[in-house]
Amino acid sequence: MLTRRHIRVKVMQSLYALSQSKTVNLEKEEKFLLTSMDNTYNLYLTLLNLLIEIHELAASRLDASQKKYLATAEDKNPNRKFINNEVLTMLVNNELLKTEIEDRKLNNWYLDEEYVKILLDEIENSELYKDYMKEKLSSFKEDKEFIVDIYKEIIAPNEKLYDYIEDYKLTWIDDLPAVNTMFLKFLRKLKNNNYPEEHFLPKLFKDEDDKKFGVDLLKKTMLNDEMLQEHINGKTPNWDTDRIADLDNVLLKMAICEFLKFPSIPIKVSINEYLEIAKEYSTPKSSIFINGILDKIVKDFEKTEKLNKVGRGLL
């Protein structure tokens, strides 16, 4: 679920927070990192649960309309296509998913149900919904495409939902694009309604190596801070250290740490990853600055044979 880039971003956030607090507590920072990564999974489950709650609210509205004292013929025999959507019913009937949500106490939408109402209103008033509901029957493919479309066009871009997520847990905003992408990926993979319940409960890490990578990158960057800073200082003769943006400094240290302490990661991979992260999280010119510094450092390491990469093509 978490890519290496996402893991690097999480480590960057921990190291940046550490640089601002001016304190060093390795155990505390490692715990914060692991919690932050686990919270990405909580966001994913919270968004899945949002679809479930939207379905539940739509079903309760339909039942209420049937019980009206002056119910019309349409009220008594409503179009249940949305309620019967096979993708939504897969989620609603997924006992493993329900248990995971309950165990993690992710009851956001029970406590903040106004957001469920806002989104259901937007869905029901949309042209997507009106077109979908023109017929009472549908195929699994149409059901899936409809859920993908309303998630992509209505739920994901909703500003009130975005504000809620930002207020509820600040780190979720950085996680949201990746979680949305992964969420849609899992939906699009569905071919029929016979998928196992585990389909919607992926592992947080691809494997133990990825989890270990995040913790090791945090520890090795923290424990070698002075040495890493010396390499940076030696390559920025025209810059005072305090003129380098704090975030850029963190990214430079992480990249140099990967050069020296992670022999299986190719130099080009490390450079490309940190340039992309800089483009997204730092100043407009940061990626150019970081690229220039890292290029000088790599050339120096090659001359002094400090690089200890293993495998083919790792330089």
Side-chain angles (χ1 to χ4, degrees), residues 172-230:
W172 274 4
I173 287 301
D174 288 325
D175 298 333
L176 190 57
V179 171
N180 280 337
T181 299
M182 184 204 58
F183 192 97
L184 290 170
K185 178 182 176 182
F186 283 124
L187 287 176
R188 290 186 175 115
K189 275 186 175 181
L190 295 170
K191 302 296 181 186
N192 53 58
N193 61 3
N194 294 321
Y195 278 69
E197 291 186 330
E198 293 87 351
H199 176 77
F200 287 103
L201 291 169
K203 293 180 180 179
L204 179 59
F205 300 98
K206 183 180 71 173
D207 50 38
E208 280 301 311
D209 285 346
D210 273 9
K211 181 178 180 180
K212 187 174 184 297
F213 167 71
V215 173
D216 285 350
L217 181 59
L218 175 72
K219 286 181 177 180
K220 290 178 180 182
T221 306
M222 286 179 65
L223 294 173
N224 293 282
D225 183 76
E226 289 186 10
M227 177 270 288
L228 297 172
Q229 187 63 57
E230 286 176 7

Side-chain angles (χ1 to χ4, degrees), residues 9-169:
V9 168
K10 290 292 185 183
V11 174
M12 174 199 75
Q13 291 169 340
S14 294
L15 291 169
Y16 180 77
L18 186 68
S19 72
Q20 299 303 297
S21 67
K22 308 298 182 184
T23 60
V24 178
N25 186 325
L26 189 56
E27 184 178 346
K28 180 180 176 182
E29 290 305 320
E30 182 181 341
K31 184 178 179 181
F32 174 82
L33 173 65
L34 293 172
T35 300
S36 178
M37 291 191 288
D38 191 58
N39 276 331
T40 305
Y41 203 79
N42 286 341
L43 173 60
Y44 165 75
L45 292 174
T46 297
L47 293 173
L48 268 182
N49 197 27
L50 178 57
L51 279 180
I52 294 171
E53 292 299 326
I54 287 172
H55 177 275
E56 295 297 292
L57 179 58
S60 66
R61 283 183 179 181
L62 214 60
D63 291 342
S65 69
Q66 289 180 293
K67 295 174 183 177
K68 287 193 298 188
Y69 181 70
L70 297 175
T72 65
E74 186 178 351
D75 289 331
K76 292 178 180 179
N77 186 29
N79 184 347
R80 302 183 67 85
K81 186 175 180 179
F82 181 66
I83 303 304
N84 294 333
N85 181 286
E86 290 190 75
V87 175
L88 289 179
T89 54
M90 283 176 69
L91 294 174
V92 171
N93 296 325
N94 191 316
E95 292 299 324
L96 283 179
L97 176 59
K98 187 184 300 183
T99 299
E100 190 70 20
I101 290 170
E102 289 174 355
D103 288 348
R104 289 173 177 258
K105 297 180 173 59
L106 300 174
N107 57 349
N108 301 61
W109 310 123
Y110 175 78
L111 299 174
D112 298 298
E113 62 180 356
E114 67 268 26
Y115 295 95
V116 181
K117 293 176 182 176
I118 289 169
L119 288 166
L120 180 56
D121 287 343
E122 284 199 28
I123 290 168
E124 291 181 340
N125 291 323
S126 70
E127 291 302 317
L128 283 171
Y129 182 84
K130 292 171 185 176
D131 288 342
Y132 176 70
M133 298 295 283
K134 284 178 180 177
E135 304 291 337
K136 289 193 174 184
L137 299 176
S138 62
S139 64
F140 182 85
K141 181 181 178 182
E142 184 187 355
D143 283 353
K144 179 185 74 172
E145 288 175 352
F146 174 68
I147 297 303
V148 167
D149 287 342
I150 64 168
Y151 190 85
K152 189 170 58 175
E153 303 296 332
I154 298 172
I155 297 175
N158 185 275
E159 291 185 7
K160 289 183 179 178
L161 178 62
Y162 183 93
D163 291 341
Y164 169 78
I165 288 171
E166 184 176 35
D167 290 341
Y168 186 79
K169 198 173 294 292

Side-chain angles (χ1 to χ4, degrees), residues 236-246 248-249 289:
T236 55
N238 299 322
W239 289 72
D240 295 328
T241 302
D242 57 6
R243 287 182 62 200
I244 301 175
D246 289 345
D248 292 354
N249 211 43
F289 171 73

